[in-house]
Amino acid sequence: MSTFNSLSQTDRLEAKTNQLEIKLTAQIEDLKARVEANINSCRAKSSDLYVDVAVLKSSHKNVLWILGLFAIMALSFVIGLSIPTILRSLR
């Protein structure tokens, strides 16, 4: 009777171990899927950030060109206004 009892306990332990293994495998797979989704989300966000930075760089270059042209025009205007004054002082 004790041999039968120990075999039934072994069978129950084996069944519980199998159930635990199945449960842990499912939880691990779920965790793995969530981590992969999080990684993909981070990759998408970083590529969006890269695109935004590229756009800012190009728009920053455009702003610098526009400001540079404006500065050249303003300097030309100032020089144009000061030429008659300089010519009068030379006489």
Side-chain angles (χ1 to χ4, degrees):
M1 185 72 129
S2 92
T3 306
F4 179 72
N5 209 5
S6 103
L7 282 177
S8 69
Q9 286 180 349
T10 305
D11 289 342
R12 281 188 287 158
L13 284 175
E14 186 176 344
K16 286 193 181 237
T17 304
N18 287 339
Q19 288 174 355
L20 184 61
E21 183 179 348
I22 291 169
K23 184 178 178 181
L24 286 176
T25 303
Q27 287 179 351
I28 289 171
E29 300 236 349
D30 180 49
L31 181 62
K32 183 180 175 184
R34 282 191 279 159
V35 166
E36 285 178 1
N38 195 10
I39 288 171
N40 291 336
S41 172
C42 288
R43 284 182 183 156
K45 287 179 183 177
S46 67
S47 68
D48 289 345
L49 180 64
Y50 180 75
V51 168
D52 290 344
V53 168
V55 167
L56 282 176
K57 281 183 179 179
S58 66
S59 68
H60 181 68
K61 288 178 186 175
N62 292 337
V63 168
L64 286 177
W65 274 102
I66 291 169
L67 289 177
L69 292 174
F70 181 73
I72 290 171
M73 288 188 330
L75 188 60
S76 305
F77 181 71
V78 168
I79 291 172
L81 286 179
S82 63
I83 286 178
T85 308
I86 294 171
L87 288 178
R88 281 189 207 143
S89 67
L90 290 177
R91 288 185 189 172

